[in-house]
Amino acid sequence: MSQLKFSHAIDKTYLRAHEIDQIQPFVELAYDTLLNKTGAGSEYTDWVNWPDHMDIQEFERIQKAAEKINETSDVLIVIGIGGSYLGARAAIEFLNGTFYNLTFQKEKKTQVFFAGNNISATYHQELLHLIEGKDFSINVISKSGTTTEPSIAFRLFKEKLIEKYGHEEANRRIYATTDAEKGALKSVADQEGYETFVIPDGIGGRFTVLTAVGLLPIAVAGGDIKQLMISAKEAFDEYINTDYTENDMLQYVAIRNILHRKGKNIEILANYEPSLQYFAEWWKQLFGESEGKDMKGIFPMSANFSTDLHSIGQIIQDGIRNIFETVITIANPTVKLTIPAEEDDLDQLGYIEGKDINEINHKAFLGTQMAHAQGGVPNLHIELEDMTEASLAYLIVFFELAVGVSGYLTGINPFNQPGVEDYKRNMFALLEKPGYEDVLK
């Protein structure tokens, strides 16, 4: 059974039936290009139907490594940037909630913290201080092993690990997720005897959440990665084997591209559950790096409702009309919580006393959807069944396929990211890295 339902609240001002009919064959052609690996960047599309092709022996090693980390460590430090950490963090918060590390500490489970995704001395010093006196392990994730942000963090936490345990034991507590054969991190891992897991050559960083990149941290945090992969296979099978009229993912692609051609060049991924905040961060990288090139692309933003309705809600409602929203809601939230009764009713909540807060949250969604649609902000809606591994898998697969199809539909290579390197060249030149002397001339 599908864990995801797609619908929209768009009137004929922005969407007419003949437009769907006209774009449909082009969407189908773009999808064929993705599935048949005939488009630009197709060498990086091994993530399509990945559950059918992943290494089962490595999957079992991931499970055993997670068990070992749980047995020996109070904390796992996951070091990586971009796709090397966003997917894992999104999944962990989706499955465990916003305060997962405090909950894990209370329940004496392994906490999972992330480092190497910025160059802040303050952040890393705070984290070093936080793990003082705790047993910890490291999962360093990098294809090359030379990316600046994670390399700095790895030096810091490796030094701390060696200082605490000695060189030999420190090596047993380092898990490297990297290239199968080459690169600086792979060389160090082989030399020092770290246990290693593979970032597949045919899968770009932002698509790696269902590989060892995401699976090891997710498993350490208690996620059922076996169920995650079973449901991912079901999702791929569903979206690959249905025609356009029954394929929610293709309909999403068609509608968002029709809206884009009418000047809606900003897409806001909105949610009504705070534990979806980091999923939106993963989504922003997925769509921003995939579509934003050749002076094209829909700008990906995110909003956390109802919180952000009290900050950017005004500009969404009444600002420039270049926005559309894709809103994620949960049909069956994990927790039910009832509003208590108070005799004096000074806060004027008497009319909703005894109601489930989830019901009120849903009414906030419906009211906002109506207001924004009436105000000229088309709304697309994704309803997840629940916040389990099954729903998470469907959501990941839905968006990964959608961004690939959208990229080909707009005539770009959705699987490279040439612009990401520009800031690095300038930074290296400013830091006087050998070989970059002429960059700023």
Side-chain angles (χ1 to χ4, degrees), residues 117-131:
N117 50 68
N118 58 65
I119 317 178
S120 167
T122 302
Y123 178 95
H124 288 89
Q125 181 57 51
E126 288 175 351
L127 187 50
L128 284 164
H129 179 70
L130 185 67
I131 65 172

Side-chain angles (χ1 to χ4, degrees), residues 219-239:
V220 171
D224 185 344
I225 59 173
K226 183 177 181 180
Q227 182 60 59
L228 184 68
M229 298 309 294
I230 290 171
S231 296
K233 173 176 170 49
E234 291 172 355
F236 275 117
D237 290 345
E238 179 175 331
Y239 293 130

Side-chain angles (χ1 to χ4, degrees), residues 9 70 108 241 322:
N70 288 148
K108 300 190 182 306
N241 293 328
N322 62 344

Side-chain angles (χ1 to χ4, degrees), residues 140-176:
V140 56
I141 306 168
S142 176
K143 185 76 168 171
S144 66
T146 59
T147 305
T148 305
E149 294 89 343
S151 295
I152 290 172
F154 187 41
R155 284 200 180 193
L156 292 171
F157 287 94
K158 181 172 62 173
E159 180 183 63
K160 183 79 170 177
L161 202 66
I162 293 171
E163 178 186 299
K164 184 176 179 67
Y165 298 105
H167 200 103
E168 187 175 337
E169 175 61 19
N171 288 349
R172 286 194 285 266
R173 288 175 172 269
I174 297 173
Y175 302 81

Side-chain angles (χ1 to χ4, degrees), residues 335-369:
V335 173
K336 292 185 181 296
L337 195 60
T338 301
I339 297 176
E342 289 187 2
E343 187 174 342
D344 52 20
D345 195 30
L346 292 177
D347 55 13
Q348 299 180 28
L349 291 182
Y351 70 104
I352 52 174
E353 287 178 353
K355 289 185 180 292
D356 182 3
I357 292 179
N358 293 313
E359 179 185 349
I360 299 163
N361 202 22
H362 187 66
K363 291 297 193 294
F365 154 65
L366 293 175
T368 304
Q369 183 184 60

